[in-house]
Amino acid sequence: VQLQASGGGLVQAGGSLRLSCAASGRTLSSYVVAWFRQFPGKDRAFVVRIDWSGSVTNSIDSVKGRFTISRDNAKNLVYLEMNSLKPEDTAVYYCAADTYYSNTYVHASSYRYWGQGTLVTVSS
């Protein structure tokens, strides 16, 4: 499966953005999908994950209540709705996928397929 992330941009603190992860080559319904983000000089860090059907999600505490992951398997898309954005959310965001529903889902190594990053910049 090939993944393409889009939707990043510049937004003021308190604003919203919606990222999209589009899949091609295989049906996305076979994959667990996650979003990671990478701060300058840091490794990619887990943000949120959604299971195959969209019924189970996992996220880090700092985005709970602000970020929502969802999927539309008919369109081969996964979304990350980001609200109440903070300057500390500024990062390059990546979508990742794998067929396995791993217990080590916070680790980048648990995902074999990655999209290119999309930059989110939140100004104060």
Side-chain angles (χ1 to χ4, degrees), residues 7 11 13-14 24 30 32 36 47 51 58 65 67 75 78 85-86 103 109 116 118 120 123:
V11 63
S24 60
S30 300
V32 176
F36 282 70
V47 178
D51 75 341
N58 309 94
F67 290 13
K75 295 182 178 178
V78 169
L85 281 161
K86 304 175 181 180
N103 288 332
S109 58
Q116 89 294 356
T118 185
V120 172
S123 63

Side-chain angles (χ1 to χ4, degrees), residues 42-56:
K42 302 290 187 181
D43 292 335
R44 294 179 191 183
F46 172 81
V47 178
V48 63
R49 173 184 75 159
I50 190 166
D51 75 341
W52 304 276
S53 66
S55 59
V56 179

